[in-house]
Amino acid sequence: MSGTDTIVAADVVVTSPGRNFVTLKITTAEGLVGWGDATLNGRELAVASYLRDHVAPLLVGRDPARIEDTWQYLYRGAYWRRGPVTMTSVGAVDLALWDIKGKATGQPVYQLLGGAVRDRILAYTHASGWDVPRLLDAVDARREHGFLAVRAQSGVPGLGTVYGVSEAAAGHERPDRHGTGPDEEIWDTDAYLRHAPEMLAAVREHAGPGLKLLHDTHHRLTPGEAARLGRALEPVNLFWLEDVTPAENQEVLRHVRRHTTVPLAIGEVFNTVWECQTLITEQLIDFVRTCVTHAGGISHLRRIAALAEIWQVRLGPHGPSDISPVALGASLHVGLSTPNFAIQEYMGYEPVVHEVFRHAWSYEDGHLHPGDEPGLGIEVDEALAARFPYEPGYLPVARRRDGSVTDW
């Protein structure tokens, strides 16, 4: 990059090869192209509009090499800050500019971040089954594919669907592909609290002590209920217990932490370092789960990592199939170069997604690596992407048995 290069175009690509993805393409006068993920599950078009209508016009004419200045310009230069739509948009720009920087210098992004501090990145995947026998079969299947860490979820007796798991089949947590609004599920906390310890104990007994076992509560417990569950799960030796309670009021985690030693992971819905600050500095969690896209890109995720490192909190970023291979690649570049990066979520993608988003990152034997191609190592087949138009989709809404809405 000569230093005189400028951004000449910023285009938004919306495609739906199995599920919706929003991608930002930044092009420079010297012909370099950078890609950024702007997918916000269930609210994709809001980010697409924010980028297309408000951010893209501000980028044309800017120096693509000034990554930090552009981040500050988009974040601090706007009166309305933070929030998932804004930060996902900023994150997409940041990823694309790091991609350009790597391509301009001929280096993979992790080298520009200080180089590798590990040889590969531990990955965890999802296993689910409506009942315990089917869950155990799913865990076995994931281990046969090489995974050393598995998040286990099952149905709950008396409920029809739970966390994307249905009696008919175990599926991913993905939007239902229709435009008529979200499906509504019935939730029963007492039934879950009776079932979860027995279910996870069965997985531990079946899999043995070597498997890194994770579980997600999806924000549905009060602090007292979360503390009870954490204490009940201590004999299971979880790698982490995720999202035990909504964390908007971060002080409530003090109650959970006082009553259980189970490792806690929170933060996939966080968008800035300030949302993580109390949880990190008071060591109320063990893992912070902020996503490289939704938390403002590589530049801002590194700030979160730096704060967390001081307080011995590790990173385990959000990364199921509701972020595109662009964001997963970016997260892996951060992971390879960040000392306190612990684990990366990886559910995999349908084959066509790999065709639309050609990538250098790879999975092998329970681990991921970003690859050594310049930049993020991602190229998008725009012609193929155009064959998959956007389809409206919604994640389900949960209601208690009395009809009142509860947290998802």
Side-chain angles (χ1 to χ4, degrees), residues 108 110 116 118-122 328-329 332-333 336 359-364 367-372:
Y110 77 81
R118 55 180 51 85
D119 298 324
R120 54 186 184 165
I121 297 163
L122 180 65
L328 181 62
L332 296 178
H333 282 279
L336 205 69
H359 53 82
W361 59 256
S362 60
Y363 166 82
E364 184 178 7
H367 294 81
L368 292 156
H369 192 282
D372 289 302

mmCIF file with all atom_site columns, all heavy atoms in Angstrom, residues 108 110 116 118-122 328-329 332-333 336 359-364 367-372:
data_model
loop_
_atom_site.group_PDB
_atom_site.id
_atom_site.type_symbol
_atom_site.label_atom_id
_atom_site.label_alt_id
_atom_site.label_comp_id
_atom_site.label_asym_id
_atom_site.label_entity_id
_atom_site.label_seq_id
_atom_site.pdbx_PDB_ins_code
_atom_site.Cartn_x
_atom_site.Cartn_y
_atom_site.Cartn_z
_atom_site.occupancy
_atom_site.B_iso_or_equiv
_atom_site.pdbx_formal_charge
_atom_site.auth_seq_id
_atom_site.auth_comp_id
_atom_site.auth_asym_id
_atom_site.auth_atom_id
_atom_site.pdbx_PDB_model_num
ATOM 1   N N   . PRO A 1 108 ? -0.556  -12.671 6.399  1.00 0.00 ? 108 PRO A N   1
ATOM 2   C CA  . PRO A 1 108 ? -1.817  -12.972 7.082  1.00 0.00 ? 108 PRO A CA  1
ATOM 3   C C   . PRO A 1 108 ? -2.002  -12.021 8.248  1.00 0.00 ? 108 PRO A C   1
ATOM 4   O O   . PRO A 1 108 ? -1.023  -11.558 8.856  1.00 0.00 ? 108 PRO A O   1
ATOM 5   C CB  . PRO A 1 108 ? -1.622  -14.413 7.554  1.00 0.00 ? 108 PRO A CB  1
ATOM 6   C CG  . PRO A 1 108 ? -0.148  -14.605 7.650  1.00 0.00 ? 108 PRO A CG  1
ATOM 7   C CD  . PRO A 1 108 ? 0.446   -13.742 6.570  1.00 0.00 ? 108 PRO A CD  1
ATOM 8   N N   . TYR A 1 110 ? -2.838  -12.360 11.288 1.00 0.00 ? 110 TYR A N   1
ATOM 9   C CA  . TYR A 1 110 ? -2.273  -12.708 12.601 1.00 0.00 ? 110 TYR A CA  1
ATOM 10  C C   . TYR A 1 110 ? -0.817  -12.278 12.711 1.00 0.00 ? 110 TYR A C   1
ATOM 11  O O   . TYR A 1 110 ? -0.337  -11.958 13.810 1.00 0.00 ? 110 TYR A O   1
ATOM 12  C CB  . TYR A 1 110 ? -2.458  -14.190 12.920 1.00 0.00 ? 110 TYR A CB  1
ATOM 13  C CG  . TYR A 1 110 ? -1.521  -15.152 12.235 1.00 0.00 ? 110 TYR A CG  1
ATOM 14  C CD1 . TYR A 1 110 ? -0.233  -15.376 12.721 1.00 0.00 ? 110 TYR A CD1 1
ATOM 15  C CD2 . TYR A 1 110 ? -1.924  -15.875 11.113 1.00 0.00 ? 110 TYR A CD2 1
ATOM 16  C CE1 . TYR A 1 110 ? 0.632   -16.274 12.093 1.00 0.00 ? 110 TYR A CE1 1
ATOM 17  C CE2 . TYR A 1 110 ? -1.077  -16.774 10.491 1.00 0.00 ? 110 TYR A CE2 1
ATOM 18  C CZ  . TYR A 1 110 ? 0.194   -16.961 10.973 1.00 0.00 ? 110 TYR A CZ  1
ATOM 19  O OH  . TYR A 1 110 ? 1.045   -17.853 10.363 1.00 0.00 ? 110 TYR A OH  1
ATOM 20  N N   . ALA A 1 116 ? 2.047   -15.494 15.776 1.00 0.00 ? 116 ALA A N   1
ATOM 21  C CA  . ALA A 1 116 ? 1.381   -16.584 16.489 1.00 0.00 ? 116 ALA A CA  1
ATOM 22  C C   . ALA A 1 116 ? 1.941   -16.756 17.894 1.00 0.00 ? 116 ALA A C   1
ATOM 23  O O   . ALA A 1 116 ? 3.153   -16.695 18.103 1.00 0.00 ? 116 ALA A O   1
ATOM 24  C CB  . ALA A 1 116 ? 1.522   -17.883 15.707 1.00 0.00 ? 116 ALA A CB  1
ATOM 25  N N   . ARG A 1 118 ? 0.444   -19.473 19.525 1.00 0.00 ? 118 ARG A N   1
ATOM 26  C CA  . ARG A 1 118 ? 0.100   -20.895 19.627 1.00 0.00 ? 118 ARG A CA  1
ATOM 27  C C   . ARG A 1 118 ? 0.127   -21.470 18.215 1.00 0.00 ? 118 ARG A C   1
ATOM 28  O O   . ARG A 1 118 ? 0.096   -20.737 17.223 1.00 0.00 ? 118 ARG A O   1
ATOM 29  C CB  . ARG A 1 118 ? -1.268  -21.092 20.281 1.00 0.00 ? 118 ARG A CB  1
ATOM 30  C CG  . ARG A 1 118 ? -2.397  -20.345 19.597 1.00 0.00 ? 118 ARG A CG  1
ATOM 31  C CD  . ARG A 1 118 ? -3.738  -20.579 20.295 1.00 0.00 ? 118 ARG A CD  1
ATOM 32  N NE  . ARG A 1 118 ? -3.678  -20.352 21.728 1.00 0.00 ? 118 ARG A NE  1
ATOM 33  C CZ  . ARG A 1 118 ? -3.828  -19.159 22.305 1.00 0.00 ? 118 ARG A CZ  1
ATOM 34  N NH1 . ARG A 1 118 ? -4.046  -18.080 21.549 1.00 0.00 ? 118 ARG A NH1 1
ATOM 35  N NH2 . ARG A 1 118 ? -3.748  -19.012 23.601 1.00 0.00 ? 118 ARG A NH2 1
ATOM 36  N N   . ASP A 1 119 ? 0.164   -22.782 18.130 1.00 0.00 ? 119 ASP A N   1
ATOM 37  C CA  . ASP A 1 119 ? 0.220   -23.434 16.833 1.00 0.00 ? 119 ASP A CA  1
ATOM 38  C C   . ASP A 1 119 ? -1.151  -23.661 16.225 1.00 0.00 ? 119 ASP A C   1
ATOM 39  O O   . ASP A 1 119 ? -1.301  -23.720 15.005 1.00 0.00 ? 119 ASP A O   1
ATOM 40  C CB  . ASP A 1 119 ? 0.941   -24.784 16.939 1.00 0.00 ? 119 ASP A CB  1
ATOM 41  C CG  . ASP A 1 119 ? 2.376   -24.624 17.401 1.00 0.00 ? 119 ASP A CG  1
ATOM 42  O OD1 . ASP A 1 119 ? 3.015   -23.627 17.006 1.00 0.00 ? 119 ASP A OD1 1
ATOM 43  O OD2 . ASP A 1 119 ? 2.851   -25.490 18.165 1.00 0.00 ? 119 ASP A OD2 1
ATOM 44  N N   . ARG A 1 120 ? -2.170  -23.790 17.052 1.00 0.00 ? 120 ARG A N   1
ATOM 45  C CA  . ARG A 1 120 ? -3.523  -24.043 16.588 1.00 0.00 ? 120 ARG A CA  1
ATOM 46  C C   . ARG A 1 120 ? -4.489  -23.643 17.694 1.00 0.00 ? 120 ARG A C   1
ATOM 47  O O   . ARG A 1 120 ? -4.084  -23.400 18.828 1.00 0.00 ? 120 ARG A O   1
ATOM 48  C CB  . ARG A 1 120 ? -3.705  -25.514 16.218 1.00 0.00 ? 120 ARG A CB  1
ATOM 49  C CG  . ARG A 1 120 ? -3.310  -26.486 17.323 1.00 0.00 ? 120 ARG A CG  1
ATOM 50  C CD  . ARG A 1 120 ? -3.371  -27.925 16.844 1.00 0.00 ? 120 ARG A CD  1
ATOM 51  N NE  . ARG A 1 120 ? -3.089  -28.850 17.942 1.00 0.00 ? 120 ARG A NE  1
ATOM 52  C CZ  . ARG A 1 120 ? -3.345  -30.147 17.910 1.00 0.00 ? 120 ARG A CZ  1
ATOM 53  N NH1 . ARG A 1 120 ? -3.885  -30.669 16.826 1.00 0.00 ? 120 ARG A NH1 1
ATOM 54  N NH2 . ARG A 1 120 ? -3.069  -30.916 18.942 1.00 0.00 ? 120 ARG A NH2 1
ATOM 55  N N   . ILE A 1 121 ? -5.770  -23.575 17.348 1.00 0.00 ? 121 ILE A N   1
ATOM 56  C CA  . ILE A 1 121 ? -6.789  -23.038 18.248 1.00 0.00 ? 121 ILE A CA  1
ATOM 57  C C   . ILE A 1 121 ? -7.792  -24.139 18.580 1.00 0.00 ? 121 ILE A C   1
ATOM 58  O O   . ILE A 1 121 ? -8.399  -24.733 17.681 1.00 0.00 ? 121 ILE A O   1
ATOM 59  C CB  . ILE A 1 121 ? -7.509  -21.845 17.590 1.00 0.00 ? 121 ILE A CB  1
ATOM 60  C CG1 . ILE A 1 121 ? -6.508  -20.709 17.340 1.00 0.00 ? 121 ILE A CG1 1
ATOM 61  C CG2 . ILE A 1 121 ? -8.673  -21.369 18.453 1.00 0.00 ? 121 ILE A CG2 1
ATOM 62  C CD1 . ILE A 1 121 ? -7.012  -19.683 16.352 1.00 0.00 ? 121 ILE A CD1 1
ATOM 63  N N   . LEU A 1 122 ? -7.967  -24.402 19.862 1.00 0.00 ? 122 LEU A N   1
ATOM 64  C CA  . LEU A 1 122 ? -8.951  -25.387 20.298 1.00 0.00 ? 122 LEU A CA  1
ATOM 65  C C   . LEU A 1 122 ? -10.350 -24.936 19.882 1.00 0.00 ? 122 LEU A C   1
ATOM 66  O O   . LEU A 1 122 ? -10.711 -23.771 20.045 1.00 0.00 ? 122 LEU A O   1
ATOM 67  C CB  . LEU A 1 122 ? -8.887  -25.552 21.817 1.00 0.00 ? 122 LEU A CB  1
ATOM 68  C CG  . LEU A 1 122 ? -9.862  -26.554 22.437 1.00 0.00 ? 122 LEU A CG  1
ATOM 69  C CD1 . LEU A 1 122 ? -9.547  -27.980 21.976 1.00 0.00 ? 122 LEU A CD1 1
ATOM 70  C CD2 . LEU A 1 122 ? -9.817  -26.462 23.959 1.00 0.00 ? 122 LEU A CD2 1
ATOM 71  N N   . LEU A 1 328 ? -15.499 -15.848 11.123 1.00 0.00 ? 328 LEU A N   1
ATOM 72  C CA  . LEU A 1 328 ? -14.778 -16.938 11.765 1.00 0.00 ? 328 LEU A CA  1
ATOM 73  C C   . LEU A 1 328 ? -13.290 -16.830 11.475 1.00 0.00 ? 328 LEU A C   1
ATOM 74  O O   . LEU A 1 328 ? -12.452 -16.983 12.373 1.00 0.00 ? 328 LEU A O   1
ATOM 75  C CB  . LEU A 1 328 ? -15.311 -18.287 11.300 1.00 0.00 ? 328 LEU A CB  1
ATOM 76  C CG  . LEU A 1 328 ? -14.631 -19.495 11.941 1.00 0.00 ? 328 LEU A CG  1
ATOM 77  C CD1 . LEU A 1 328 ? -14.828 -19.508 13.457 1.00 0.00 ? 328 LEU A CD1 1
ATOM 78  C CD2 . LEU A 1 328 ? -15.141 -20.802 11.339 1.00 0.00 ? 328 LEU A CD2 1
ATOM 79  N N   . GLY A 1 329 ? -12.939 -16.544 10.215 1.00 0.00 ? 329 GLY A N   1
ATOM 80  C CA  . GLY A 1 329 ? -11.530 -16.368 9.885  1.00 0.00 ? 329 GLY A CA  1
ATOM 81  C C   . GLY A 1 329 ? -10.891 -15.251 10.679 1.00 0.00 ? 329 GLY A C   1
ATOM 82  O O   . GLY A 1 329 ? -9.772  -15.388 11.194 1.00 0.00 ? 329 GLY A O   1
ATOM 83  N N   . LEU A 1 332 ? -10.198 -16.282 14.185 1.00 0.00 ? 332 LEU A N   1
ATOM 84  C CA  . LEU A 1 332 ? -9.052  -17.191 14.279 1.00 0.00 ? 332 LEU A CA  1
ATOM 85  C C   . LEU A 1 332 ? -7.729  -16.439 14.188 1.00 0.00 ? 332 LEU A C   1
ATOM 86  O O   . LEU A 1 332 ? -6.744  -16.818 14.837 1.00 0.00 ? 332 LEU A O   1
ATOM 87  C CB  . LEU A 1 332 ? -9.136  -18.252 13.189 1.00 0.00 ? 332 LEU A CB  1
ATOM 88  C CG  . LEU A 1 332 ? -10.338 -19.202 13.284 1.00 0.00 ? 332 LEU A CG  1
ATOM 89  C CD1 . LEU A 1 332 ? -10.337 -20.175 12.119 1.00 0.00 ? 332 LEU A CD1 1
ATOM 90  C CD2 . LEU A 1 332 ? -10.352 -19.940 14.617 1.00 0.00 ? 332 LEU A CD2 1
ATOM 91  N N   . HIS A 1 333 ? -7.671  -15.382 13.395 1.00 0.00 ? 333 HIS A N   1
ATOM 92  C CA  . HIS A 1 333 ? -6.453  -14.567 13.354 1.00 0.00 ? 333 HIS A CA  1
ATOM 93  C C   . HIS A 1 333 ? -6.198  -13.920 14.710 1.00 0.00 ? 333 HIS A C   1
ATOM 94  O O   . HIS A 1 333 ? -5.047  -13.849 15.170 1.00 0.00 ? 333 HIS A O   1
ATOM 95  C CB  . HIS A 1 333 ? -6.559  -13.505 12.258 1.00 0.00 ? 333 HIS A CB  1
ATOM 96  C CG  . HIS A 1 333 ? -6.318  -14.027 10.875 1.00 0.00 ? 333 HIS A CG  1
ATOM 97  N ND1 . HIS A 1 333 ? -5.057  -14.230 10.379 1.00 0.00 ? 333 HIS A ND1 1
ATOM 98  C CD2 . HIS A 1 333 ? -7.180  -14.412 9.906  1.00 0.00 ? 333 HIS A CD2 1
ATOM 99  C CE1 . HIS A 1 333 ? -5.150  -14.706 9.141  1.00 0.00 ? 333 HIS A CE1 1
ATOM 100 N NE2 . HIS A 1 333 ? -6.433  -14.827 8.829  1.00 0.00 ? 333 HIS A NE2 1
ATOM 101 N N   . LEU A 1 336 ? -5.055  -16.833 17.164 1.00 0.00 ? 336 LEU A N   1
ATOM 102 C CA  . LEU A 1 336 ? -3.697  -17.351 17.017 1.00 0.00 ? 336 LEU A CA  1
ATOM 103 C C   . LEU A 1 336 ? -2.672  -16.400 17.618 1.00 0.00 ? 336 LEU A C   1
ATOM 104 O O   . LEU A 1 336 ? -1.583  -16.829 18.013 1.00 0.00 ? 336 LEU A O   1
ATOM 105 C CB  . LEU A 1 336 ? -3.392  -17.596 15.538 1.00 0.00 ? 336 LEU A CB  1
ATOM 106 C CG  . LEU A 1 336 ? -2.312  -18.644 15.254 1.00 0.00 ? 336 LEU A CG  1
ATOM 107 C CD1 . LEU A 1 336 ? -2.785  -20.038 15.616 1.00 0.00 ? 336 LEU A CD1 1
ATOM 108 C CD2 . LEU A 1 336 ? -1.870  -18.602 13.784 1.00 0.00 ? 336 LEU A CD2 1
ATOM 109 N N   . HIS A 1 359 ? -12.227 -19.980 1.741  1.00 0.00 ? 359 HIS A N   1
ATOM 110 C CA  . HIS A 1 359 ? -11.432 -19.546 2.888  1.00 0.00 ? 359 HIS A CA  1
ATOM 111 C C   . HIS A 1 359 ? -10.182 -20.389 3.064  1.00 0.00 ? 359 HIS A C   1
ATOM 112 O O   . HIS A 1 359 ? -10.135 -21.576 2.706  1.00 0.00 ? 359 HIS A O   1
ATOM 113 C CB  . HIS A 1 359 ? -12.281 -19.620 4.161  1.00 0.00 ? 359 HIS A CB  1
ATOM 114 C CG  . HIS A 1 359 ? -12.930 -20.960 4.391  1.00 0.00 ? 359 HIS A CG  1
ATOM 115 N ND1 . HIS A 1 359 ? -12.260 -22.022 4.960  1.00 0.00 ? 359 HIS A ND1 1
ATOM 116 C CD2 . HIS A 1 359 ? -14.181 -21.402 4.118  1.00 0.00 ? 359 HIS A CD2 1
ATOM 117 C CE1 . HIS A 1 359 ? -13.076 -23.060 5.042  1.00 0.00 ? 359 HIS A CE1 1
ATOM 118 N NE2 . HIS A 1 359 ? -14.250 -22.720 4.524  1.00 0.00 ? 359 HIS A NE2 1
ATOM 119 N N   . ALA A 1 360 ? -9.182  -19.747 3.673  1.00 0.00 ? 360 ALA A N   1
ATOM 120 C CA  . ALA A 1 360 ? -7.921  -20.427 3.974  1.00 0.00 ? 360 ALA A CA  1
ATOM 121 C C   . ALA A 1 360 ? -7.959  -21.121 5.317  1.00 0.00 ? 360 ALA A C   1
ATOM 122 O O   . ALA A 1 360 ? -7.119  -21.990 5.581  1.00 0.00 ? 360 ALA A O   1
ATOM 123 C CB  . ALA A 1 360 ? -6.765  -19.416 3.948  1.00 0.00 ? 360 ALA A CB  1
ATOM 124 N N   . TRP A 1 361 ? -8.876  -20.745 6.196  1.00 0.00 ? 361 TRP A N   1
ATOM 125 C CA  . TRP A 1 361 ? -8.911  -21.383 7.513  1.00 0.00 ? 361 TRP A CA  1
ATOM 126 C C   . TRP A 1 361 ? -9.342  -22.834 7.372  1.00 0.00 ? 361 TRP A C   1
ATOM 127 O O   . TRP A 1 361 ? -10.029 -23.218 6.424  1.00 0.00 ? 361 TRP A O   1
ATOM 128 C CB  . TRP A 1 361 ? -9.783  -20.611 8.494  1.00 0.00 ? 361 TRP A CB  1
ATOM 129 C CG  . TRP A 1 361 ? -11.236 -20.411 8.145  1.00 0.00 ? 361 TRP A CG  1
ATOM 130 C CD1 . TRP A 1 361 ? -11.821 -19.273 7.680  1.00 0.00 ? 361 TRP A CD1 1
ATOM 131 C CD2 . TRP A 1 361 ? -12.314 -21.373 8.277  1.00 0.00 ? 361 TRP A CD2 1
ATOM 132 N NE1 . TRP A 1 361 ? -13.176 -19.447 7.506  1.00 0.00 ? 361 TRP A NE1 1
ATOM 133 C CE2 . TRP A 1 361 ? -13.495 -20.724 7.867  1.00 0.00 ? 361 TRP A CE2 1
ATOM 134 C CE3 . TRP A 1 361 ? -12.383 -22.689 8.698  1.00 0.00 ? 361 TRP A CE3 1
ATOM 135 C CZ2 . TRP A 1 361 ? -14.733 -21.359 7.852  1.00 0.00 ? 361 TRP A CZ2 1
ATOM 136 C CZ3 . TRP A 1 361 ? -13.616 -23.339 8.694  1.00 0.00 ? 361 TRP A CZ3 1
ATOM 137 C CH2 . TRP A 1 361 ? -14.767 -22.676 8.273  1.00 0.00 ? 361 TRP A CH2 1
ATOM 138 N N   . SER A 1 362 ? -8.952  -23.632 8.344  1.00 0.00 ? 362 SER A N   1
ATOM 139 C CA  . SER A 1 362 ? -9.213  -25.065 8.254  1.00 0.00 ? 362 SER A CA  1
ATOM 140 C C   . SER A 1 362 ? -9.454  -25.654 9.638  1.00 0.00 ? 362 SER A C   1
ATOM 141 O O   . SER A 1 362 ? -9.036  -25.092 10.651 1.00 0.00 ? 362 SER A O   1
ATOM 142 C CB  . SER A 1 362 ? -8.028  -25.789 7.596  1.00 0.00 ? 362 SER A CB  1
ATOM 143 O OG  . SER A 1 362 ? -6.845  -25.590 8.362  1.00 0.00 ? 362 SER A OG  1
ATOM 144 N N   . TYR A 1 363 ? -10.136 -26.808 9.644  1.00 0.00 ? 363 TYR A N   1
ATOM 145 C CA  . TYR A 1 363 ? -10.382 -27.570 10.859 1.00 0.00 ? 363 TYR A CA  1
ATOM 146 C C   . TYR A 1 363 ? -9.708  -28.927 10.745 1.00 0.00 ? 363 TYR A C   1
ATOM 147 O O   . TYR A 1 363 ? -9.779  -29.587 9.709  1.00 0.00 ? 363 TYR A O   1
ATOM 148 C CB  . TYR A 1 363 ? -11.883 -27.778 11.087 1.00 0.00 ? 363 TYR A CB  1
ATOM 149 C CG  . TYR A 1 363 ? -12.152 -28.840 12.137 1.00 0.00 ? 363 TYR A CG  1
ATOM 150 C CD1 . TYR A 1 363 ? -12.101 -28.526 13.492 1.00 0.00 ? 363 TYR A CD1 1
ATOM 151 C CD2 . TYR A 1 363 ? -12.402 -30.165 11.772 1.00 0.00 ? 363 TYR A CD2 1
ATOM 152 C CE1 . TYR A 1 363 ? -12.305 -29.502 14.460 1.00 0.00 ? 363 TYR A CE1 1
ATOM 153 C CE2 . TYR A 1 363 ? -12.612 -31.142 12.740 1.00 0.00 ? 363 TYR A CE2 1
ATOM 154 C CZ  . TYR A 1 363 ? -12.558 -30.809 14.077 1.00 0.00 ? 363 TYR A CZ  1
ATOM 155 O OH  . TYR A 1 363 ? -12.742 -31.769 15.027 1.00 0.00 ? 363 TYR A OH  1
ATOM 156 N N   . GLU A 1 364 ? -9.063  -29.357 11.831 1.00 0.00 ? 364 GLU A N   1
ATOM 157 C CA  . GLU A 1 364 ? -8.459  -30.689 11.859 1.00 0.00 ? 364 GLU A CA  1
ATOM 158 C C   . GLU A 1 364 ? -8.261  -31.108 13.305 1.00 0.00 ? 364 GLU A C   1
ATOM 159 O O   . GLU A 1 364 ? -7.710  -30.353 14.119 1.00 0.00 ? 364 GLU A O   1
ATOM 160 C CB  . GLU A 1 364 ? -7.111  -30.698 11.135 1.00 0.00 ? 364 GLU A CB  1
ATOM 161 C CG  . GLU A 1 364 ? -6.470  -32.084 11.054 1.00 0.00 ? 364 GLU A CG  1
ATOM 162 C CD  . GLU A 1 364 ? -5.149  -32.071 10.294 1.00 0.00 ? 364 GLU A CD  1
ATOM 163 O OE1 . GLU A 1 364 ? -4.662  -30.976 9.956  1.00 0.00 ? 364 GLU A OE1 1
ATOM 164 O OE2 . GLU A 1 364 ? -4.616  -33.165 10.048 1.00 0.00 ? 364 GLU A OE2 1
ATOM 165 N N   . HIS A 1 367 ? -9.197  -28.813 16.236 1.00 0.00 ? 367 HIS A N   1
ATOM 166 C CA  . HIS A 1 367 ? -8.552  -27.501 16.255 1.00 0.00 ? 367 HIS A CA  1
ATOM 167 C C   . HIS A 1 367 ? -8.781  -26.763 14.938 1.00 0.00 ? 367 HIS A C   1
ATOM 168 O O   . HIS A 1 367 ? -9.033  -27.376 13.894 1.00 0.00 ? 367 HIS A O   1
ATOM 169 C CB  . HIS A 1 367 ? -7.047  -27.630 16.511 1.00 0.00 ? 367 HIS A CB  1
ATOM 170 C CG  . HIS A 1 367 ? -6.717  -28.159 17.870 1.00 0.00 ? 367 HIS A CG  1
ATOM 171 N ND1 . HIS A 1 367 ? -6.754  -29.505 18.174 1.00 0.00 ? 367 HIS A ND1 1
ATOM 172 C CD2 . HIS A 1 367 ? -6.354  -27.521 19.024 1.00 0.00 ? 367 HIS A CD2 1
ATOM 173 C CE1 . HIS A 1 367 ? -6.419  -29.680 19.442 1.00 0.00 ? 367 HIS A CE1 1
ATOM 174 N NE2 . HIS A 1 367 ? -6.173  -28.503 19.983 1.00 0.00 ? 367 HIS A NE2 1
ATOM 175 N N   . LEU A 1 368 ? -8.655  -25.447 15.004 1.00 0.00 ? 368 LEU A N   1
ATOM 176 C CA  . LEU A 1 368 ? -8.789  -24.575 13.841 1.00 0.00 ? 368 LEU A CA  1
ATOM 177 C C   . LEU A 1 368 ? -7.503  -23.795 13.633 1.00 0.00 ? 368 LEU A C   1
ATOM 178 O O   . LEU A 1 368 ? -6.735  -23.558 14.570 1.00 0.00 ? 368 LEU A O   1
ATOM 179 C CB  . LEU A 1 368 ? -9.952  -23.601 14.039 1.00 0.00 ? 368 LEU A CB  1
ATOM 180 C CG  . LEU A 1 368 ? -11.355 -24.201 14.047 1.00 0.00 ? 368 LEU A CG  1
ATOM 181 C CD1 . LEU A 1 368 ? -12.317 -23.298 14.809 1.00 0.00 ? 368 LEU A CD1 1
ATOM 182 C CD2 . LEU A 1 368 ? -11.870 -24.437 12.628 1.00 0.00 ? 368 LEU A CD2 1
ATOM 183 N N   . HIS A 1 369 ? -7.273  -23.373 12.377 1.00 0.00 ? 369 HIS A N   1
ATOM 184 C CA  . HIS A 1 369 ? -6.132  -22.519 12.046 1.00 0.00 ? 369 HIS A CA  1
ATOM 185 C C   . HIS A 1 369 ? -6.571  -21.543 10.965 1.00 0.00 ? 369 HIS A C   1
ATOM 186 O O   . HIS A 1 369 ? -7.288  -21.936 10.029 1.00 0.00 ? 369 HIS A O   1
ATOM 187 C CB  . HIS A 1 369 ? -4.949  -23.350 11.558 1.00 0.00 ? 369 HIS A CB  1
ATOM 188 C CG  . HIS A 1 369 ? -3.668  -22.579 11.469 1.00 0.00 ? 369 HIS A CG  1
ATOM 189 N ND1 . HIS A 1 369 ? -3.393  -21.713 10.419 1.00 0.00 ? 369 HIS A ND1 1
ATOM 190 C CD2 . HIS A 1 369 ? -2.597  -22.516 12.304 1.00 0.00 ? 369 HIS A CD2 1
ATOM 191 C CE1 . HIS A 1 369 ? -2.206  -21.163 10.620 1.00 0.00 ? 369 HIS A CE1 1
ATOM 192 N NE2 . HIS A 1 369 ? -1.710  -21.628 11.753 1.00 0.00 ? 369 HIS A NE2 1
ATOM 193 N N   . PRO A 1 370 ? -6.162  -20.267 11.039 1.00 0.00 ? 370 PRO A N   1
ATOM 194 C CA  . PRO A 1 370 ? -6.628  -19.286 10.061 1.00 0.00 ? 370 PRO A CA  1
ATOM 195 C C   . PRO A 1 370 ? -5.991  -19.401 8.680  1.00 0.00 ? 370 PRO A C   1
ATOM 196 O O   . PRO A 1 370 ? -6.475  -18.791 7.727  1.00 0.00 ? 370 PRO A O   1
ATOM 197 C CB  . PRO A 1 370 ? -6.263  -17.942 10.704 1.00 0.00 ? 370 PRO A CB  1
ATOM 198 C CG  . PRO A 1 370 ? -5.084  -18.256 11.561 1.00 0.00 ? 370 PRO A CG  1
ATOM 199 C CD  . PRO A 1 370 ? -5.348  -19.640 12.098 1.00 0.00 ? 370 PRO A CD  1
ATOM 200 N N   . GLY A 1 371 ? -4.903  -20.159 8.552  1.00 0.00 ? 371 GLY A N   1
ATOM 201 C CA  . GLY A 1 371 ? -4.196  -20.229 7.284  1.00 0.00 ? 371 GLY A CA  1
ATOM 202 C C   . GLY A 1 371 ? -3.203  -19.097 7.134  1.00 0.00 ? 371 GLY A C   1
ATOM 203 O O   . GLY A 1 371 ? -3.136  -18.180 7.958  1.00 0.00 ? 371 GLY A O   1
ATOM 204 N N   . ASP A 1 372 ? -2.428  -19.163 6.074  1.00 0.00 ? 372 ASP A N   1
ATOM 205 C CA  . ASP A 1 372 ? -1.329  -18.209 5.895  1.00 0.00 ? 372 ASP A CA  1
ATOM 206 C C   . ASP A 1 372 ? -1.464  -17.363 4.639  1.00 0.00 ? 372 ASP A C   1
ATOM 207 O O   . ASP A 1 372 ? -0.491  -16.748 4.201  1.00 0.00 ? 372 ASP A O   1
ATOM 208 C CB  . ASP A 1 372 ? 0.001   -18.962 5.878  1.00 0.00 ? 372 ASP A CB  1
ATOM 209 C CG  . ASP A 1 372 ? 0.365   -19.503 7.253  1.00 0.00 ? 372 ASP A CG  1
ATOM 210 O OD1 . ASP A 1 372 ? 0.457   -18.695 8.192  1.00 0.00 ? 372 ASP A OD1 1
ATOM 211 O OD2 . ASP A 1 372 ? 0.529   -20.732 7.388  1.00 0.00 ? 372 ASP A OD2 1
#
